[in-house]
Structure formats: C-alpha cells, structure tokens
Amino acid sequence: MNTRTNAEWLADLRAEANARAMALTDLRAIIATGLPYALSGWLAPSDPQFDALAEDVTQETLVKVLAHLDSFQGRSQLTTWVQKIAVRVALSELRRRRWKDVSLDSLMTDEGEEPMPVTQSNVTPDPARAVEQSEMLAMIQRMIAEELTEKQRIAIVAARINEMPIEQVAQQMGMERNALYKLLHDARVRLKKRMEREGLTPEEVLAAFGSG
Amino acid sequence: MQIPIDKLKTMVRGIARTQEIEYSCDDVYQLLDEFTEAVAQGKDVAKLMPLVQQHIEMCPDCREEFEALLRVVRATHPGV
C-alpha cells in the first residue's frame, strides 16, 4: 500500500480514472491506519464518535490533498505530508468541539479595574520573601497594564491563563491562528523589552517564586 | 481574571525564550512533515531547524499537532 515513491504517488494522484481512484483508496487506508495514533489521548477508537469523525477527517483530508498537491515540495514522504493534513483537520475539529461552549467574554467576566491581578494564594509565609513577591507582582501587573493592548490582554488570558487553544481564541477574535500567534509574540517581545528596561530578569522573577 | 502563580511562571519562562524573530504557525505547518520525520530519524532538530523547534516549544497548538504526527510516523513508518 505504501510502496509508491513520492513521484509515483504524484503521478497516480494526477492521473485520470483508475490510477487516481486506486491511489485515493490507498491514501484513505493510510489515513485510517494513522488516525488512532494521531488521536491517542484525544478520542479512543472505541468511542462512539470515533468512526464518524474518522470518516469526515479522511474525506476532508483527501479533498485538501488534491487541492494542494502542487504545494507538496517533496521534502518528506508524501504520506507524511498527507498525515500532517489529517492531523490538522482532526485536531481542529476536536478543539472546536471541546471549546464550543466557552466564550472569551466568560473568561474575562471577573476582570476588575486592575488588568489581570495575580492571585497571591500561593505566596510564601516568610515575611521578607512575601514583600519581595508582592513588589514583583505589582511590577508585573503594571507592565501588563502599560505595555499590552486590550487585544493582547484578552488573548493572553484566554490562551495562556485558561489554556484555550490559540486556534479557538483566534476564531472568537475574528482572526487567523497565524495572526493570533503574532499578536502573542508581539506581547512577549514588549514585556521582555520592558523587563530589560526595568532591570528585571526572568530568572529573578522565577527565583522569587521558587523553583518548580 | 487572576493569574495563578504557576501560570505566571510559565508566562515568564515564555518571555525568557522569546526571540525577536519567530516562525509563525503557517511557517511551521509548511515544515512540520519534514521536521517530524527528522525527529523520528533521531536527527538533531534543535540544530537543523531551530526556528521550528522554538515555535513548537512556544505554541501549544503546533506542539499538539507535532506530537500527534510523530505518533503516526513512529507507528506507521518505522523505517523513516
């Protein structure tokens, strides 16, 4: 089944009628073989939703493969490229299902006048250390308030604090995933530069709150 | 919205590893099949494809996709 070279796969997938149909049948089987591994920890093959999801993913993957065949650059096995597409399609759908009832608004509801206060429940009982920690927290909160845009704060709260997939955050903010990553990257760059200006190193912050 | 201490530390670690120029999710997706095969072959990807490696450490969505693809490649292409 997986004995074609990349060139043979491409020739068959671009061929008419029989050769193409056979190649698609083989790819379908290859995707089906891979999916249980791809979805390990996400959805077990014994789950009643598995078969329907696998069928949808396979179908959508094959459509994408045919549509984007010209973009395959031959830097991996073609089957790995196909599996990559199947993984993206499958995980996007599972993320969508898991997070469909969570809105960004619901994550931001208890945001007070102070943007993103840091919880102090875990701070140390050692008084000297507690002072150091609360000073550092105040500084970090000030940096977040002064350096980041509203959009960046929303994205950080959703993606970094609540661990919502950035794909879902992006969707709810009406952006592409790629653009959301850039927004978060820009936020990190701003905070890093501000920390440098303040003479505060990440190592100092981590040390103040203990390792681990 | 409050930041729990452990999340704050994760954020600070992310800031520490931030580079001025980073690959985007689209850049990484383009290279993910090649990168994953290289990992499966035991190549030193941190040296060969450092920007992909760095993005995967920073981006949970891309990391999940890489890990899923690696499971598939290891299980179905033992020779890769």
Side-chain angles (χ1 to χ4, degrees):
Chain A
M1 176 166 75
N2 189 16
T3 52
R4 292 178 183 83
T5 63
N6 282 349
E8 287 164 349
W9 274 117
L10 290 172
D12 286 352
L13 288 168
R14 287 181 176 130
E16 298 296 319
N18 271 353
R20 182 189 219 193
M22 280 170 66
L24 286 173
T25 303
D26 288 348
L27 275 188
R28 182 174 269 282
I30 286 168
I31 296 167
T33 306
L35 274 177
Y37 298 102
L39 300 185
S40 168
W42 290 81
L43 192 66
S46 58
D47 190 291
Q49 295 180 42
F50 188 92
D51 288 347
L53 178 84
E55 178 53 34
D56 290 350
V57 168
T58 304
Q59 202 56 41
E60 193 177 333
T61 301
L62 292 176
V63 169
K64 284 182 189 283
V65 164
L66 292 176
H68 298 287
L69 211 49
D70 289 343
S71 74
F72 175 64
Q73 297 178 335
R75 297 204 290 205
S76 67
Q77 291 199 17
L78 182 127
T79 48
T80 305
W81 178 72
V82 172
Q83 299 283 21
K84 172 183 79 172
I85 297 172
V87 162
R88 169 63 69 93
V89 171
L91 295 199
S92 292
E93 174 57 19
L94 287 172
R95 290 183 187 124
R96 191 190 64 76
R97 290 184 191 180
R98 276 191 189 175
W99 289 87
K100 69 178 163 48
D101 297 326
V102 182
S103 71
L104 290 181
D105 284 348
S106 72
L107 300 180
M108 308 296 290
T109 45
D110 55 350
E111 192 183 28
E113 64 286 352
E114 184 97 32
M116 287 209 266
V118 180
T119 180
Q120 299 206 34
S121 57
N122 297 333
V123 290
T124 170
D126 171 0
R129 189 122 190 235
V131 170
E132 187 193 359
Q133 288 185 345
S134 66
E135 281 175 1
M136 205 162 267
L137 289 177
M139 197 187 227
I140 291 169
Q141 279 166 225
R142 201 166 55 242
M143 290 180 195
I144 288 172
E146 291 172 6
E147 294 295 325
L148 303 189
T149 65
E150 170 83 13
K151 268 188 164 182
Q152 286 173 324
R153 284 199 292 268
I154 292 172
I156 286 182
V157 169
R160 296 293 180 245
I161 314 296
N162 289 282
E163 297 180 348
M164 185 188 257
I166 62 171
E167 195 166 21
Q168 264 49 53
V169 180
Q171 225 165 50
Q172 292 204 29
M173 292 178 76
M175 298 167 74
E176 295 291 332
R177 166 170 159 181
N178 208 47
L180 189 84
Y181 184 82
K182 287 180 177 170
L183 185 90
L184 287 166
H185 173 232
D186 184 47
R188 282 188 279 111
V189 170
R190 285 192 197 194
L191 290 174
K192 189 176 189 181
K193 287 184 175 164
R194 173 68 183 265
M195 284 172 76
E196 283 167 6
R197 286 202 303 277
E198 303 262 358
L200 184 66
T201 66
E203 292 73 25
E204 280 175 282
V205 178
L206 294 173
F209 294 102
S211 54
Chain B
M1 182 71 232
Q2 299 213 319
I3 311 180
I5 295 288
D6 61 323
K7 298 285 168 56
L8 174 79
K9 286 159 97 174
T10 306
M11 240 172 77
V12 171
R13 284 193 197 99
I15 291 170
R17 287 184 302 180
T18 294
Q19 308 285 325
E20 190 82 25
I21 308 281
E22 292 185 7
Y23 270 176
S24 68
C25 298
D26 288 353
D27 296 330
V28 168
Y29 185 68
Q30 287 295 322
L31 296 168
L32 194 65
D33 41 346
E34 184 184 353
F35 178 84
T36 306
E37 285 187 355
V39 172
Q41 289 160 357
K43 291 184 180 164
D44 184 358
V45 288
K47 204 169 258 176
L48 292 172
M49 301 171 93
L51 288 172
V52 179
Q53 173 78 26
Q54 198 259 358
H55 181 99
I56 280 174
E57 286 168 8
M58 304 300 289
C59 177
D61 291 31
C62 290
R63 187 164 59 246
E64 284 172 350
E65 289 165 21
F66 158 67
E67 286 167 355
L69 185 58
L70 185 61
R71 287 193 295 271
V72 175
V73 169
R74 286 197 165 137
T76 61
H77 291 177
V80 165

